[in-house]
């Protein structure tokens, strides 16, 4: 299939009205437009899948059947009960219904073997959808002493730390390098890696920075950084989006 016909579904979320909107009683549906731009830049077609309150398995099957790939964007913290934990004090605001909707879409995309790219929270949601767990705050991840601030909001579109990519990973094939400079805007991080997933990159201070499906022929990758905002500045992350779209 030519890229121009490939439809990439981006999971939407509800957000408050803009302060100048006349429709102050109504929320908005959508995503940050760096996600749609990134898909446009690799010549595919982005389509936002709105969060719907009333849905069933037919709704989910229908959405996933109509798209060629699923992009799971970043967002707020994930509801801890979805990975079997009680909420800790450091866990920030979450939206259980939106998270459950996302997980149902991910499970169906996995079932239909549709390519998946999870970004930041999207990477964590992919992990939770496959029964993995999270650290509700990165301070609980004590694998290494913490060298970096993994939530550097002043560096949204520039790298703030390095990661080491596993030599045998799909990610290594995509970037053709083992050390990559990435931005870092996450406050939660992956604890136990989910079923059928491999760990594919760690930060130098030991946080999980990427996961991927163990099936080498299936593009299903989650990255903890934000390649789509780096892609607004240069082409260092273009190979990831290209590989995603080209896998269709
Ligand atoms: Mn990080």
């Amino acid at each position: 299939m030519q890229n121009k016909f490939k439809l990439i579904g981006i999971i939407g979320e509800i957000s408050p009205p803009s302060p100048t909107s006349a429709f102050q009683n109504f929320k908005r549906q959508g995503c940050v437009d760096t996600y749609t731009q990134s898909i446009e830049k690799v010549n595919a077609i982005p389509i936002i899948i709105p969060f719907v309150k009333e849905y069933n398995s037919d709704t989910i099957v229908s959405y996933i059947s109509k798209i060629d790939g699923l992009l799971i964007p970043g967002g707020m913290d994930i509801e801890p009960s979805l990975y079997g934990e009680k909420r800790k004090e450091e866990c920030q605001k979450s939206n259980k219904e939106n998270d459950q909707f996302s997980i149902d879409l991910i499970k169906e995309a996995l079932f239909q073997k549709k390519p998946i790219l999870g970004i930041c929270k999207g990477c964590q949601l992919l992990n939770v959808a496959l029964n993995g767990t999270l650290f509700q705050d990165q301070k609980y991840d004590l694998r290494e002493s913490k060298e970096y601030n993994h939530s550097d909001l002043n560096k949204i579109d520039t790298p703030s730390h390095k990661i080491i990519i596993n030599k045998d990973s799909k990610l290594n094939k995509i970037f053709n390098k083992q050390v990559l400079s990435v931005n870092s805007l996450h406050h939660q991080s992956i604890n136990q890696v989910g079923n059928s997933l491999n760990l594919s990159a760690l930060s130098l201070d030991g946080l999980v920075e990427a996961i991927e499906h163990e099936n080498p022929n299936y593009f299903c990758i989650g990255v903890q950084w934000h390649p789509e905002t780096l892609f607004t500045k240069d082409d260092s992350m273009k190979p990831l989006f290209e590989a995603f779209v080209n896998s269709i």
Side-chain angles (χ1 to χ4, degrees), residues 149-151 161 163 182-186 203 207 209 224-225:
N149 179 3
H150 283 264
S151 190
H161 71 73
I163 61 166
V182 301
N183 52 355
S184 198
L185 305 159
H186 55 115
S203 62
L207 261 62
E209 289 279 345
Q224 188 56 76
W225 67 95

Side-chain angles (χ1 to χ4, degrees), residues 12 14 29 49-56 59-60 63 97-98 101:
I14 302 264
Q29 285 265 17
I49 303 173
F51 164 66
V52 288
K53 248 184 153 57
E54 302 295 329
Y55 69 92
N56 57 33
T59 323
I60 298 295
Y63 271 135
E97 284 179 309
N98 211 149
F101 176 66

Side-chain angles (χ1 to χ4, degrees), residues 40-109:
E40 266 193 276
K41 281 185 189 169
V42 291
N43 305 313
I45 308 166
I47 182 168
I48 298 169
I49 303 173
F51 164 66
V52 288
K53 248 184 153 57
E54 302 295 329
Y55 69 92
N56 57 33
S57 58
D58 293 337
T59 323
I60 298 295
V61 171
S62 189
Y63 271 135
I64 296 300
S65 301
K66 287 174 179 63
I67 59 169
D68 301 304
L70 181 68
L71 193 159
I72 323 157
M76 301 184 300
D77 280 358
I78 296 174
E79 167 61 32
S81 63
L82 294 173
Y83 50 93
E85 282 194 12
K86 286 209 171 82
R87 174 175 289 270
K88 291 181 177 163
E89 201 187 328
E90 293 83 359
C91 187
Q92 296 167 3
K93 204 175 158 204
S94 61
N95 180 332
K96 190 176 182 182
E97 284 179 309
N98 211 149
D99 289 348
Q100 187 61 60
F101 176 66
S102 299
I103 287 170
D104 290 343
L105 287 169
I106 294 164
K107 285 183 173 170
E108 182 59 27

Side-chain angles (χ1 to χ4, degrees), residues 35-218:
Y35 296 104
T36 59
Q37 279 176 40
S38 297
I39 298 304
E40 266 193 276
K41 281 185 189 169
V42 291
N43 305 313
I45 308 166
I47 182 168
I48 298 169
I49 303 173
F51 164 66
V52 288
K53 248 184 153 57
E54 302 295 329
Y55 69 92
N56 57 33
S57 58
D58 293 337
T59 323
I60 298 295
V61 171
S62 189
Y63 271 135
I64 296 300
S65 301
K66 287 174 179 63
I67 59 169
D68 301 304
L70 181 68
L71 193 159
I72 323 157
M76 301 184 300
D77 280 358
I78 296 174
E79 167 61 32
S81 63
L82 294 173
Y83 50 93
E85 282 194 12
K86 286 209 171 82
R87 174 175 289 270
K88 291 181 177 163
E89 201 187 328
E90 293 83 359
C91 187
Q92 296 167 3
K93 204 175 158 204
S94 61
N95 180 332
K96 190 176 182 182
E97 284 179 309
N98 211 149
D99 289 348
Q100 187 61 60
F101 176 66
S102 299
I103 287 170
D104 290 343
L105 287 169
I106 294 164
K107 285 183 173 170
E108 182 59 27
L110 286 161
F111 181 74
Q112 294 190 26
K113 284 264 183 328
K114 296 280 168 91
I116 297 175
L117 176 61
I119 293 178
C120 197
K121 177 187 182 173
C123 170
Q124 297 168 1
L125 277 167
L126 172 64
N127 193 51
V128 170
L130 287 166
N131 298 317
T133 62
L134 305 180
F135 290 110
Q136 292 187 34
D137 185 281
Q138 46 175 275
K139 80 173 187 191
Y140 292 109
D141 188 342
L142 300 173
R143 275 175 280 213
E144 302 282 341
S145 61
K146 291 288 151 288
E147 197 175 331
Y148 305 123
N149 179 3
H150 283 264
S151 190
D152 192 345
L153 298 172
N154 294 317
K155 289 184 174 174
I156 284 185
D157 54 11
T158 48
S160 62
H161 71 73
K162 288 192 167 113
I163 61 166
I164 305 292
I165 298 174
N166 183 337
K167 212 166 62 177
D168 304 318
S169 64
K170 275 175 266 184
L171 209 57
N172 186 34
K173 283 198 190 78
I174 290 167
F175 286 106
N176 200 23
K177 51 173 83 167
Q178 275 186 270
V179 181
L180 201 63
S181 293
V182 301
N183 52 355
S184 198
L185 305 159
H186 55 115
H187 135 260
Q188 301 198 311
S189 60
I190 287 175
N191 183 358
Q192 268 166 327
V193 174
N195 300 330
S196 311
L197 291 170
N198 290 333
L199 195 161
S200 39
L202 284 173
S203 62
L204 292 179
D205 60 0
L207 261 62
V208 175
E209 289 279 345
I211 50 174
E212 59 186 46
H213 200 275
E214 64 187 6
N215 178 347
N217 301 315
Y218 175 39

